[in-house]
Structure formats: C-alpha cells, structure tokens
Amino acid sequence: MEIISKFLQKNGLVFAFLAVGVIIYLSGIISDKLTRRKIPASAIAILAGLVIAYFGGVYSGGEKGIADVKIFSGFGTMGGAMFRDFAIVSTAMGASFLVLRRTGWVGALSLFLGIVLSFLGGVAVALLWGYRDAVSLTAIGAGACTYIVGPVTGAAIGASSDVIALSIAAGVVKAIVVTIGTPFVAKYIGLNNPHTALIYGGLMGTTSGVTAGLAATDPKLVPYGALTATFYTGLGCLACPSILYLLMRLTFGG
C-alpha cells in the first residue's frame, strides 16, 4: 500500500487526470441512465467535484481542499491558472467568427444582452444572500453567466474560495435549468431553425446546457447554439472581471 501511495504522489498530475476521467465517465452513465440526459453529464461531474473537494478539505484540514491530501496533490496543478486558461482558450478555438456574422447585429446583441442580464440576475441573488462587496457580487454575477466565467472572474479579482464555489454552483444550476427548459419553450419562441438557435445560444450562454437542451429539441440545431454559447463564454471571461467589475466598484465601492 505504501508503494502505491508513493507512486501516486510522484505521478500526481497523471493520477488527477485519471480521477477526473473516471468522474466524467461515471457522470455520463448517471446522466444517461438515471436522468435520461435531462441533466448534463458536465453538471453532474462539477457537482461531484465540488462535493469531493469539500470533504477532501474537511479531511485534510488544509486550504487547498483535496489537493492537501498527498495522493491527490496533482489536483493543485491541474486546477491551477495554467490549465484553467488553456481550457478557456481551447474552448474558444472551436468558434468561427465568419459563421457568427451570419446572425447579423441581432446575434451580437444577443451575446451582450445574455451576459448583462445573467450577470445582473446573479448580482441580485448575491444581494439577497447578504453580499455587499464588489468582488463577491461580481464573482457570483459572473457565475450566473456560466460556471466557467464565474471561477475565472473570481480568481482574477481575488474572490474567496467560498464565493468562487457559489459562483460555480450558480452556473451549474443555470445549466440544468436551460437543459430541462429548452425543449418546453422551443415551440413558443420559434426555436426550430439555425438562425434562432444561434441567437438562443448567445442569450443563454451555458454551452453544456444549450447543447443538451437543443439535442433534446432538435439535434441538427446543436452546432449553431453551441457556437454562440462558446463566444458567450469567451466574451464573459473578458467583460466580467473588467468592465462589469469596474461598474460594481463604482456602484458598491471597492
């Protein structure tokens, strides 16, 4: 047992990737078999990660959560800024600006409206929870955009780990709501062609939620909604820790 423990400690990053792969695989099975894909596998995996990180932190008594446990130390590197930024850039690499132009000014407007409205909704919830400082309000507001924008913004402006966790949770809830709600509202909003799918992806933003929701509505619309949702994530990562954060500081103080 000691040999295995030392081996895992020496290959911490590789073991971290293996552990995440297993979590994602099991989340896919749960999503497919238990929820009939009504809840995205990514949302289940993120919730599982939050739970494991919490109990890992309780067990170790440290400040880095599960990364304080020696055999899971690789999660500290895997969850660091380098891999986080790489994941964001690799996500945006799949987007095509030429395709986005086909939606015209309405598509661009949907992106900005989607980010601002989601952000303001998250800020309103944060105010109800009792947060009054600009950093916490911005981080939770960004989390309401997507569960990627939330932690990226939180890390950039120096939010606490508790607030970042809340921002991720807000994004996960949004992804689940969009996934379940999309098939029900599709016929009422004319979500039956690529043009409206592009606009819908820009308004909702959460790539996993939009993808899963459109897959349940019409699989042919998935690439279009996912395209603008990807742009939404990139734009949110730029706007939330800069322009929107400055507005929060002007409104609520620094």
Side-chain angles (χ1 to χ4, degrees):
M1 193 67 183
E2 185 179 349
I3 295 176
I4 297 175
S5 178
K6 289 182 178 179
F7 176 79
L8 294 178
Q9 290 178 42
K10 290 181 179 180
N11 299 275
L13 183 58
V14 176
F15 180 60
F17 273 103
L18 174 63
V20 169
V22 171
I23 292 172
I24 293 174
Y25 175 74
L26 294 176
S27 298
I29 294 176
I30 294 171
S31 175
D32 187 40
K33 303 296 183 182
L34 298 183
T35 71
R36 296 183 180 180
R37 298 182 182 178
K38 290 183 178 179
I39 300 179
S42 58
I44 296 173
I46 289 171
L47 286 174
L50 290 172
V51 171
I52 293 171
Y54 172 77
F55 285 104
V58 171
Y59 171 78
S60 66
E63 298 180 352
K64 297 181 180 180
I66 197 172
D68 286 313
V69 181
K70 289 184 178 180
I71 62 172
F72 296 115
S73 59
F75 280 99
T77 303
M78 188 180 185
M82 179 180 68
F83 280 103
R84 179 200 66 204
D85 295 342
F86 174 77
I88 295 167
V89 172
S90 62
T91 300
M93 286 294 290
S96 171
F97 184 73
L98 294 176
V99 177
L100 181 64
R101 287 180 59 187
R102 296 177 187 174
T103 62
W105 65 270
V106 177
L109 181 63
S110 71
L111 285 171
F112 287 100
L113 275 179
I115 290 172
V116 172
L117 292 177
S118 294
F119 182 84
L120 292 177
V123 170
V125 172
L127 288 170
L128 292 175
W129 286 344
Y131 290 98
R132 294 294 183 270
D133 61 292
V135 171
S136 298
L137 292 173
T138 303
I140 296 174
C145 294
T146 77
Y147 51 69
I148 294 176
V149 177
V152 169
T153 300
I157 63 179
S160 67
S161 57
D162 293 341
V163 170
I164 291 176
L166 284 174
S167 74
I168 296 172
V172 170
V173 170
K174 178 183 177 181
I176 294 173
V177 170
V178 171
T179 299
I180 297 174
T182 298
F184 293 102
V185 303
K187 62 180 180 180
Y188 300 106
I189 62 175
L191 189 55
N192 54 13
N193 60 81
H195 185 75
T196 53
L198 283 164
I199 296 172
Y200 184 75
L203 285 172
M204 296 296 103
T206 168
T207 306
S208 60
V210 169
T211 301
L214 289 178
T217 304
D218 184 353
K220 294 179 182 179
L221 301 178
V222 171
Y224 301 97
L227 176 71
T228 44
T230 301
F231 271 102
Y232 179 108
T233 300
L235 186 60
C237 288
L238 290 174
C240 288
S242 55
I243 299 173
L244 294 177
Y245 174 52
L246 290 176
L247 290 176
M248 288 296 102
R249 290 193 63 178
L250 290 174
T251 305
F252 296 95

